[in-house]
């Protein structure tokens, strides 16, 4: 059996997705997610022009060898485009291997270490009443853990608030929780860190008073703070017992987490923009984080992210794999299989895709009582309806960006 064909399929049912479909000479197919939010076509070109020609005729069973070949033969290593492309190949090959074995993928990764995956959803609101309604809605959907994102008085439109329906930059509309807005230009949002630092602790105090001490609460700082600001936020949130505080400083400066650690015991999660184990090497070794936030889709696939998590397990650091709507159902399925198998699973982010996405990607996973399970279908448990996918062509879209009150561009 050899790889006979590899197709790159772009579809935009509720947002843009890039999928690699590998077909073997025996007719077995495997899917991999290569979506890179706001830069999808860069990965399409990387796959189509550089990677696919290298796959034809290769043995699909040689997953580790293929990974090393694609990573090392390019010379220009790492980076989100390269690693998303490699991840797509890797997951597609695991999908093929599991289908040939007649087993769900997690069985090839060592079998299940748990009966299901604890998940968290995204509650948000411009003000407390709207936020409380969102928390209750997520509880009614079954979520047992909830991320809390809040509007800040005086700021028009900021990250993570689903009800920010439109932007001034162009005529696009934010759909579901997806911040990437369709249109010719990225939307401009506003930001003020001091206002945010004053406001957020009052929100968590109100949420705890309303919903009690038991519910696991999470919060995403989204790389917008300096180290000392992040330390202040972590310390001020300690009374509210967060499950984690995410992405408190720009991830390009991992040493900043040393200062944050010195000042707070609030658990820290980081890594959704990391791409390799080398991005994590220092912060895992120095135990500067508690949760690894990478997605299978952006971290070289199952083969590489499992190595990251095995390394993290030596330091009692757990997984918290990235799972927003720009990770396709293919990428989500891969995360579920990996999370079910590893010992140091922590929690899985899960944002529900829209009905059109579920029409294009037929899935076998279950979400019951706040727990995800990938199902028992051989492979990763996702099949692509190419006819449905063709009905939704690519649409240009960008993630927003921030400006401060004086016009300075700031981390979004």
């Amino acid at each position: 059996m050899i790889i006979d064909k590899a197709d790159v399929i772009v579809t935009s049912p509720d947002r843009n997705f890039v999928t690699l479909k590998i077909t073997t000479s025996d007719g077995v197919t495997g899917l991999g997610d290569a979506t890179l939010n706001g830069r999808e076509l860069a990965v399409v070109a990387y796959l189509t022009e550089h990677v696919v020609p290298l796959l034809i005729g290769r043995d699909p069973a040689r997953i580790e060898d293929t990974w090393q070949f694609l990573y090392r033969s390019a010379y220009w290593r790492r980076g989100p485009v390269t690693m998303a492309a490699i991840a797509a190949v890797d997951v597609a090959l695991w999908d093929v291997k599991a289908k040939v074995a007649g087993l769900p993928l997690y069985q090839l990764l060592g079998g299940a270490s748990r009966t299901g995956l604890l998940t968290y959803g995204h509650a948000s609101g411009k003000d407390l009443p709207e936020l409380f309604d969102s928390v209750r809605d997520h509880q009614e959907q079954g979520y047992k853990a909830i991320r809390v994102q809040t509007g800040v008085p005086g700021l028009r439109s900021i990250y993570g608030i689903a009800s920010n329906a439109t932007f001034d930059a162009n005529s696009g509309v934010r759909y579901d929780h997806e911040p990437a807005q369709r249109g010719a230009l990225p939307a401009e949002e506003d930001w003020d860190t001091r206002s945010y630092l004053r406001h957020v602790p009052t929100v968590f105090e109100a949420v705890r008073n309303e919903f009690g001490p038991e519910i696991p609460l999470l919060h995403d700082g989204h790389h917008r703070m300096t180290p000392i600001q992040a330390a202040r936020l972590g310390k001020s949130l300690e009374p509210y017992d967060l499950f984690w505080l995410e992405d408190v400083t720009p991830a390009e400066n991992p040493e900043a987490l040393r200062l944050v650690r010195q000042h707070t015991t609030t658990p820290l999660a980081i890594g959704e923009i990391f791409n390799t184990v080398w991005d994590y090497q220092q912060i895992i070794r120095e135990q500067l984080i508690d949760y690894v936030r990478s997605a299978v889709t952006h971290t070289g696939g199952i083969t590489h992210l499992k190595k990251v998590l095995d390394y993290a397990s030596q330091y009692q650091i757990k997984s918290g794999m990235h799972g927003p709507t720009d990770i396709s159902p293919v990428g989500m399925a891969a995360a579920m299989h990996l999370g079910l198998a590893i010992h140091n699973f922590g929690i899985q982010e899960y944002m529900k895709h829209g009905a059109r996405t579920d029409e294009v990607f037929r899935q076998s996973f279950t979400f019951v009582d706040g727990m995800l399970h990938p199902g028992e279908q051989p492979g990763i448990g996702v099949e692509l309806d190419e006819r449905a996918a063709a009905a939704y062509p690519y649409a240009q879209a960008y993630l927003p960006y921030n400006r401060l009150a004086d016009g300075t561009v700031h981390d979004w």
Side-chain angles (χ1 to χ4, degrees):
M1 186 168 67
I2 61 170
I3 297 174
D4 188 55
K5 187 167 62 169
D7 299 302
V8 182
I9 300 163
V10 182
T11 183
S12 189
D14 296 295
R15 64 153 341 273
N16 294 319
F17 295 112
V18 180
T19 307
L20 177 68
K21 179 181 178 181
I22 285 177
T23 305
T24 73
S25 54
D26 289 356
V28 181
T29 60
L31 299 178
D33 180 20
T35 306
L36 185 62
N37 201 350
R39 295 294 186 269
E40 295 90 353
L41 297 185
V43 190
V44 170
Y46 194 100
L47 281 169
T48 303
E49 298 175 17
H50 303 292
V51 173
V52 166
L54 302 176
L55 298 177
I56 308 305
R58 292 185 66 87
D59 181 353
R62 298 183 64 179
I63 298 176
E64 177 71 27
D65 181 70
T66 299
W67 196 98
Q68 298 294 343
F69 171 67
L70 293 177
Y71 182 81
R72 297 180 187 281
S73 70
Y75 184 71
W76 309 107
R77 303 178 183 179
R78 306 166 70 177
V81 174
T82 294
M83 299 309 286
I86 293 175
V89 175
D90 184 77
V91 171
L93 294 181
W94 277 111
D95 193 17
V96 168
K97 183 180 283 286
K99 286 177 179 176
V100 170
L103 294 169
L105 175 57
Y106 74 84
Q107 294 287 13
L108 301 187
L109 301 175
S113 291
R114 55 198 47 83
T115 57
L117 306 172
L118 175 66
T119 69
Y120 72 90
H122 291 198
S124 67
K126 295 190 297 290
D127 51 31
L128 285 178
E130 186 175 275
L131 175 60
F132 287 179
D133 287 345
S134 182
V135 172
R136 291 189 187 98
D137 176 64
H138 281 78
Q139 289 179 316
E140 291 170 2
Q141 293 178 51
Y143 287 99
K144 303 300 183 187
I146 296 176
R147 192 186 81 166
V148 171
Q149 301 299 129
T150 176
V152 175
L155 297 183
R156 171 182 56 90
S157 178
I158 65 174
Y159 164 80
I161 311 302
S163 60
N164 288 339
T166 61
F167 301 90
D168 296 334
N170 55 59
S171 59
V173 176
R174 185 188 295 233
Y175 41 96
D176 191 28
H177 298 277
E178 171 55 54
Q181 186 184 1
R182 300 183 185 196
L185 296 170
E188 181 179 305
E189 298 185 347
D190 49 358
W191 185 247
D192 182 274
T193 307
R194 294 183 70 242
S195 297
Y196 166 78
L197 291 175
R198 288 193 303 270
H199 184 62
V200 167
T202 68
V203 170
F204 275 89
E205 180 180 24
V207 171
R208 279 292 181 219
N209 289 338
E210 181 71 16
F211 295 97
E214 295 301 323
I215 181 172
L217 298 177
L218 305 85
H219 181 67
D220 185 2
H222 220 247
H223 312 284
R224 292 170 296 194
M225 286 166 277
T226 65
I228 197 65
Q229 291 169 340
R232 173 185 164 188
L233 179 62
K235 189 173 183 65
S236 69
L237 292 175
E238 284 179 9
Y240 313 113
D241 187 28
L242 266 63
F243 186 95
W244 79 35
L245 180 58
E246 177 185 346
D247 289 341
V248 290
T249 64
E252 295 94 330
N253 181 19
E255 292 182 359
L257 294 171
R258 290 177 184 165
L259 188 146
V260 182
R261 276 291 209 215
Q262 291 171 8
H263 292 281
T264 182
T265 57
T266 297
L268 301 178
I270 205 165
E272 67 184 49
I273 66 168
F274 288 173
N275 308 122
T276 71
V277 70
W278 294 281
D279 296 314
Y280 282 104
Q281 196 170 39
Q282 176 185 356
I283 60 176
I284 288 177
R285 185 178 63 248
E286 296 186 18
Q287 301 178 71
L288 300 179
I289 61 171
D290 302 280
Y291 295 91
V292 167
R293 282 285 291 136
S294 283
V296 171
T297 299
H298 301 140
T299 318
I302 290 168
T303 296
H304 192 67
L305 185 53
K306 188 176 186 301
K307 293 175 181 178
V308 175
L309 293 170
D310 287 343
Y311 177 47
S313 71
Q314 299 177 51
Y315 298 91
Q316 297 177 292
I317 295 170
K318 296 184 177 182
S319 72
M321 281 178 264
H322 196 41
T325 50
D326 57 283
I327 302 297
S328 86
V330 173
M332 278 299 301
M336 290 182 215
H337 284 280
L338 181 57
L340 198 66
I342 60 174
H343 179 258
N344 58 323
F345 171 81
I347 198 168
Q348 175 61 55
E349 181 179 20
Y350 172 49
M351 299 176 69
K352 295 182 179 180
H353 288 105
R356 288 176 295 192
T357 297
D358 291 340
E359 171 196 3
V360 171
F361 297 92
R362 307 292 172 81
Q363 304 154 62
S364 66
F365 79 95
T366 57
F367 177 60
V368 179
D369 197 27
M371 306 287 278
L372 284 167
H373 193 285
E376 300 299 330
Q377 182 175 314
I380 63 171
V382 181
E383 297 298 332
L384 179 68
D385 185 329
E386 294 188 52
R387 179 174 295 182
Y392 303 108
Y394 169 81
Q396 188 176 26
Y398 290 98
L399 289 169
Y401 69 102
N402 273 338
R403 285 192 187 274
L404 305 180
D406 68 355
T408 303
V409 173
H410 188 72
D411 296 298
W412 177 70

